[in-house]
Amino acid sequence: MKTWYHSWRAAIRIARRDAWRFKGRSFLVLAMLALPILGVSAADLTLRSAELSPAQALDRDLGGADARINNPSLGGAALLQDPKGDMYAPVGNFDDKPWPDGETDIDAGIPANSASLVDAEGRARLKTTHGLLNTEIRELKAADPMAEGIMRLDRGHFPRKADEVAATTAFLESSGLRVGSRLTAHGLDATYRIVGAYELPNSLNDAQVNALPGALLAPLDKALAAAELPGTQTSTTYLVTVPGDAGFTWNMVKESNKKGVTVVSRAVTLNPPADSDVPYYEQEGPPYNGGGSDNTTELAILSTVVGLAMLEICLLAGPAFAVGARRSRRQLGLVGANGGDRHHIRAIVLSGGLVIGAVAAVVGTALGIGLTFALQPVLEDWMGKRFGDFDLRPLELIGIALIAVVTGLLAAIVPAVTASRQSVVASLTGRRGIRRSSRVLPVLGLSAVVLGAGIALYGSTVSDQVALVGGGSALAELGVVALTPALVGLFGRIGRWLPLSPRLALRDAVRNRGRTAPAVAAVLAAVAGTVAVATYTSSSEAQERAEYKESLPYGAVAIMSPESAADVPSMRDDVQKLLPTNVRADVERVVVGKRNCSAYGDGDGCGRYEIVLPEAHECPLWSYDNSDEDPASKFSKAERRKLATDWRCSDQGGGVGNGAGEILIGDAKLLTVLKIDDPAAEKALANGQAVSFLNRNINPADADGRNADADADAKGGAVSSKGGPKAGAEGTIDIRLISAADIDAADAASMEGKEPPGTVTSIPARQISAGQNAYGVTMIVPADAARKAGFTTVPLGAFFSTDRLPSDAQEQKLNSELAKTGGDVWLTVEKGFTPENSTTLLALAVFAGLITIGAAGIATGLAQADAEADLKTLAAVGAPPRVRKALSGFQCGVVAAMGVLLGSASGILPAIGLRFTERRAEDQMYARMLDEGWAGGSESTAPFVPVVIPWETLGVLLVVVPLGAAVLAALVTRSRGALARRAAI
């Protein structure tokens, strides 16, 4: 008795034999199925291997220690933390009292009888063969067993003496040094010998130098302080090992928290306590575990992408199986003539997809594993971290491999059904037979298009779910795929106006929709994705172009050093020497306290300055009083909307001009570089007056300096003053200098709406003329006025105008020179808006072109298999050999043209849906900003979210790709076919 097992076994053997006989076609389908499996399996293996287990992550952080104790800078106040030590808070309610601040005695938090190891980190500029390199310095006794695993030694040995250091391989590569070289820090006379090279398993690209505790950072800080230069900003933690096998327990963590330190414990991280046993959660609330909506959305998007990718492969591979079935129709006819049923025919064709899919699954998975293993060092370098383990997950790899098997079967379904419906006589005689097109499929396709478009429209205009846009677009695209046979028939109506070869090609495509439609649908799917991405990218680029704000006038250059003033003179000279500069405007900044204080105002002995606004100019939305109430909450929504565009609440915005402070010490040359044409402002600077670019800062000398509709009594009220000091008004600007000792008191006073402590100095000022772009500059104070006001100033940088835009080579050479300083250097070269998506659009067009040519080529091969008799008839009646080439080229071009046209039309829908979604989201955000009073002043504008059709990309797809496919098909087609006897009819 014969069972289904025997019939399928025979079918698989026949399919295996046919696959081996037609190696070219089999390899084509195998490659299409195996390449995605190779990529996905390699990506899965790479990500899983790079994903560290908690124990592995702790080994790289703690080494062989039980815990790491950190200083949270809460002044030793008792605190609470979560089990991982990522989140913490001081014990108690600090709504009505200052937040604790200051250094903590870490030693007090180390349990008794414990072994500890200092781990200190800071940054300094180290001398290299190229100049100076700002590098992290880590003082840790790396050879100690407690630190084993934090650093991996590559060659040499870790430091054993105070004058020895080791360095990461990344530092040695970037510095040009090697093991055995001498190393010196900028500002320190002592030299150190590099005795070893190591790597940080989690940060392979980090440049770091290792020294013994106290050997480098402390002497360097002492030398830098003597030279009034910024220090290393050292932070210190301790690795701790406790007696016993229990490790650093949760109770020990809570005891250390009472001393004001946080703890990362190996034992607690691997075996965390219950949430009810964590006091931090009782005070701050339970942990947020996230909702399932984000994961659901990601899963929906991933499923859609995988589904469309499988559809694309099925549409590409399906015609290839149809070619095989067409070429084997005599063999299939013999099976039917010898008693085979339709299901036997289907089984043979389906077995072709099963065999090739199974081989593709094995080959793709094996290649993915092999390539990942062989390229592990390359992948680790690319990811910047070492793998934990080579993590093979069989279930995941089997699931990925099954995609190839399922895809192969799905691709063979339509050819199997078509082949099984051929009569035995037609198969044996080579006649094609006639089959009417389905009447149901177009109805289903049209319904899917309408439903998908409706879902996408709903998702973009009503719902906040982006997944609806993607899902609706995918459904609409599937509907167009289902409509493809009917649409191919509509294209046939234009054949009457075409010459002979294209008319024959179009007629053949229409008469044989069973092989034409899958190829057209494959092109459609590829082009639709390309057009969707290209449309979205072009629209985003247009939005970015409209929102782009120049940092400087076109071609201008600015260089600043907000941390170290000592390097500024050489930096200015480097710019002037290497770039085609014209006018140079040197600028300085104001420091309060030590001259080595950075522009950020941090560091010991460093204060700050602030501009004191006239009471009538203070924004009511930002004015705090003695209550804890948010100032904006005192006004109604309508009042907040009005105040949001008030001149008092305008925001100057970030930019090169105020990146290092609101006051720039300079002269009229800065106006020239910024292309500000205001002779009165130039005269004011020459006469020792400051020039203000933000009218709320200036206090007019008299009423004539204020706009007529300005309301001086508007402070604290909701009535919007539309004017303020008018352009060209003269008056004064008040500046408060706050010493380092008064910083905390000033912060507390500001929050309470009180007058902060400090010395207030008034300087004469003039408001700039209207219509000037200051590029973020708040005010320019001449050097004489700064000295008279008692300001301490240090060099900051310079602004330059140029004769022409500096070239990339010139900018790279300048960057290499500036890198020698090793400091925090800000270099800005204004090049105007530079689109970043041109390469992306070109790559998308090339990708779509390759898919189009491949799908059209498969359809052409199938057409030639079907039309061999017609070609012989043409040759018999005297058609020249070139007709064969022309017919083949037009067959390929017709398929490509139809697919590109339909794909271009269907690909625009998802892009428009996504852009409408973004437009609605930005409109809602803008409305909320107005309601809350956050819009940032009168310069605020409504969001601009355009939809731009990429006509150039569409032109390439609609014209160049079909033409290229036609020419390529004509070139590879032989002019003469093999001589054969004409089949009898």
Side-chain angles (χ1 to χ4, degrees), residues 429-443:
T429 59
R431 297 172 182 172
R432 302 174 187 176
I434 298 175
R435 171 171 168 75
R436 292 183 177 274
S437 299
S438 172
R439 296 175 181 267
V440 177
L441 193 60
V443 176

Side-chain angles (χ1 to χ4, degrees), residues 554-557 572-584 800-811 814 829:
Y554 181 76
V557 178
R572 292 167 174 168
D573 294 339
D574 288 339
V575 175
Q576 207 159 17
K577 178 177 64 176
L578 299 175
L579 299 187
T581 60
N582 188 2
V583 178
R584 165 177 157 178
F800 302 85
S801 64
T802 57
D803 298 327
R804 60 186 181 279
L805 183 67
S807 64
D808 289 339
Q810 291 172 325
E811 189 174 348
L814 175 61
V829 179

Side-chain angles (χ1 to χ4, degrees), residues 2 18 31 59 245 276 367 629 650 748 884:
K2 300 295 183 180
D18 287 346
D59 287 340
D245 298 331
S276 58
L367 288 177
E629 187 180 3
S650 64
R884 186 184 184 94

Side-chain angles (χ1 to χ4, degrees), residues 22-39:
F22 302 105
K23 298 182 181 64
R25 173 174 56 82
S26 300
F27 178 78
L28 173 66
V29 179
L30 177 68
M32 284 191 291
L33 295 176
L35 283 177
I37 302 304
L38 186 156

